[in-house]
Amino acid sequence: MHILNGDSAANSFRQAFHLQRGEVLICRDILSCGFLDTFVDLEPWRSQRLGHWDEMCKQHGFQPPEWQDPALRDLYQCMYELEHAETINIWVGRALSDQLLLTFIVYLFKFYNWDTSKLSVYQYHQAEKITVLGLGLLNPEEIIRLKPQPFSLGAKEIDFCIEAWNAITQPIPEQLMALLAKESTCLPNLKRALRNYLYRYPSIDNGLSYIDSVILRHTQSHAPNTARIIGYTLAHDMNPQNTENIHELDTVGDLYLFSRLKKMAHNSLNNPLLTAAPMGRSLRETRVEITEFGKSVLNGKHNVVTCNGINDAVGGVQLIAGPGEKTWYRDGERLIFGEGRI
């Protein structure tokens, strides 16, 4: 049995290795986006996670995901087959979304007391100046040519995956900070990808997450064309020459970015950072401009959380605070609970 992240990856993978439908399971749930509650059973988990994506599609003019596409078998629908499969191969790139899939599968095996010795990991790295963030970015020929050697998960790797999953689903981020502070060579791709979670938190300086700051900067340069803004944001950190850049590992799709953009333009905010019109239409129909307040936040003159409050989620942490109230902020590469600097 093979497990991959996303339709594009699964389709290319099946073409590459000429696999039958029953040999591949696909995870359509981008685990790096949206609230991650504690896993207690499949059905409430599946309902909450897929409901999150269905609602986002409905709100932002996207076609709802085809959770029951007959060409590809969904992980959530077929998950219990994993218990009886002879081998399970997890194919992942370096992106946060792929690394979280790895931790989730390991967590499920431990949660249901399945045999983890059946798990093998195919971890794509960087080759031929290609940073393999996910298999969906490779064509079938590249998937074969760059195919890595598989490795088994020993006790240390299993424990690290469980620790990572527990850390990101906690209601406060202290376990995540402790995990990232540890000196460890275990699963370096996972640990490096997890650092991106810190940048989903609002900056203590201006209250913006890293992704929101990139959206704002590209709005300033490419308004009012929303498709162009989203396109530039998607491509913002794709620089394989910059080996120190962790932000390229935080790959998210256009739906998530469009939802972040519209959230910054919502009329419920005391001070919107953007204007979006018409508000209820699709990405290509929406015209966006940055407001004077948005410019002042980018210039470091205001803190958006101090002015507007926050209602967001990063993994299992729900960031809910009114204007001027304390919340979790990112200060460099540490998280602190307090007030914004401005």
Side-chain angles (χ1 to χ4, degrees):
M1 187 80 70
H2 305 278
I3 302 176
L4 295 96
N5 213 4
D7 290 68
S8 179
N11 278 317
S12 295
F13 182 80
R14 286 181 62 202
Q15 292 178 44
F17 296 109
H18 307 289
L19 297 173
Q20 299 299 313
R21 174 176 174 269
E23 297 177 83
V24 178
L25 291 183
I26 173 175
C27 180
R28 291 187 172 91
D29 182 7
I30 306 172
L31 294 166
S32 61
C33 299
F35 177 63
L36 293 180
D37 204 352
T38 302
F39 186 92
V40 293
D41 200 2
L42 174 62
E43 285 312 311
W45 172 270
R46 181 180 183 275
S47 177
Q48 189 274 323
R49 289 296 302 171
L50 300 193
H52 162 77
W53 290 110
D54 286 340
E55 184 62 27
M56 283 185 66
C57 290
K58 186 186 302 182
Q59 287 182 4
H60 305 303
F62 281 68
Q63 289 293 322
E66 297 296 333
W67 303 113
Q68 300 184 30
D69 181 352
L72 294 168
R73 300 196 311 141
D74 185 76
L75 172 65
Y76 288 162
Q77 294 179 343
C78 306
M79 193 183 75
Y80 293 112
E81 293 181 19
L82 299 178
E83 180 182 8
H84 305 292
E86 292 184 8
T87 60
I88 295 96
N89 300 313
I90 309 169
W91 298 75
V92 292
R94 298 180 65 194
L96 175 62
S97 53
D98 274 30
Q99 293 299 308
L100 290 186
L101 174 62
L102 169 60
T103 65
F104 182 57
I105 296 300
V106 173
Y107 181 85
L108 288 176
F109 267 71
K110 294 297 286 186
F111 183 87
Y112 288 111
N113 200 28
W114 296 339
D115 183 5
T116 55
S117 68
K118 298 190 295 186
L119 298 174
S120 292
V121 180
Y122 287 80
Q123 172 65 70
Y124 281 74
H125 296 279
Q126 183 165 332
E128 303 176 8
K129 297 184 177 181
I130 300 174
T131 301
V132 185
L133 303 176
L135 276 71
L137 299 176
L138 302 177
N139 60 42
E141 292 75 22
E142 290 170 330
I143 288 176
I144 295 173
R145 189 174 73 250
L146 302 177
K147 176 187 173 185
Q149 289 297 314
F151 65 89
S152 299
L153 295 167
K156 288 184 179 180
E157 289 78 15
I158 295 290
D159 289 345
F160 189 75
C161 285
I162 299 301
E163 186 179 3
W165 184 259
N166 285 331
I168 62 174
T169 55
Q170 291 299 304
I172 56 175
E174 292 175 339
Q175 287 189 33
L176 175 61
M177 290 187 287
L179 178 70
L180 294 176
K182 278 186 179 180
E183 292 291 336
S184 172
T185 58
C186 187
L187 297 175
N189 284 289
L190 171 56
K191 187 172 181 181
R192 190 166 188 261
L194 285 174
R195 287 173 58 203
N196 284 274
Y197 256 130
L198 302 180
Y199 290 84
R200 295 287 187 92
Y201 285 83
S203 165
I204 196 168
D205 294 319
N206 61 12
L208 293 172
S209 71
Y210 178 78
I211 289 175
D212 288 349
S213 69
V214 175
I215 293 172
L216 275 184
R217 289 202 298 273
H218 285 304
T219 302
Q220 198 166 27
S221 302
H222 303 293
N225 189 323
T226 306
R228 181 170 293 180
I229 293 165
I230 298 300
Y232 273 93
T233 302
L234 284 169
H236 181 79
D237 287 309
M238 302 301 178
N239 182 4
Q241 306 304 318
N242 185 359
T243 57
E244 298 302 314
N245 179 21
I246 69 163
H247 300 302
E248 67 175 359
L249 303 181
D250 196 3
T251 56
V252 294
D254 52 359
L255 170 57
Y256 179 78
L257 293 177
F258 188 45
S259 73
R260 301 296 304 183
L261 181 151
K262 289 177 71 175
K263 190 171 185 176
M264 289 189 281
H266 203 277
N267 58 17
S268 64
L269 298 177
N270 294 335
N271 302 278
L273 295 90
L274 301 171
T275 62
M279 192 64 174
R281 303 300 287 274
S282 68
L283 187 154
R284 295 192 177 277
E285 295 174 292
T286 305
R287 312 292 280 178
V288 181
E289 297 285 354
I290 189 169
T291 63
E292 290 302 315
F293 177 73
K295 293 176 184 177
S296 72
V297 171
L298 273 183
N299 293 334
K301 295 180 180 179
H302 288 97
N303 185 303
V304 64
V305 176
T306 300
C307 296
N308 287 340
I310 189 169
N311 186 348
D312 205 353
V314 182
V317 181
Q318 297 194 39
L319 302 169
I320 301 174
E325 294 180 352
K326 292 183 178 181
T327 190
W328 286 98
Y329 283 99
R330 178 183 60 82
D331 185 5
E333 285 212 338
R334 66 191 183 106
L335 300 176
I336 61 173
F337 187 80
E339 299 175 356
R341 286 197 177 127
I342 303 173

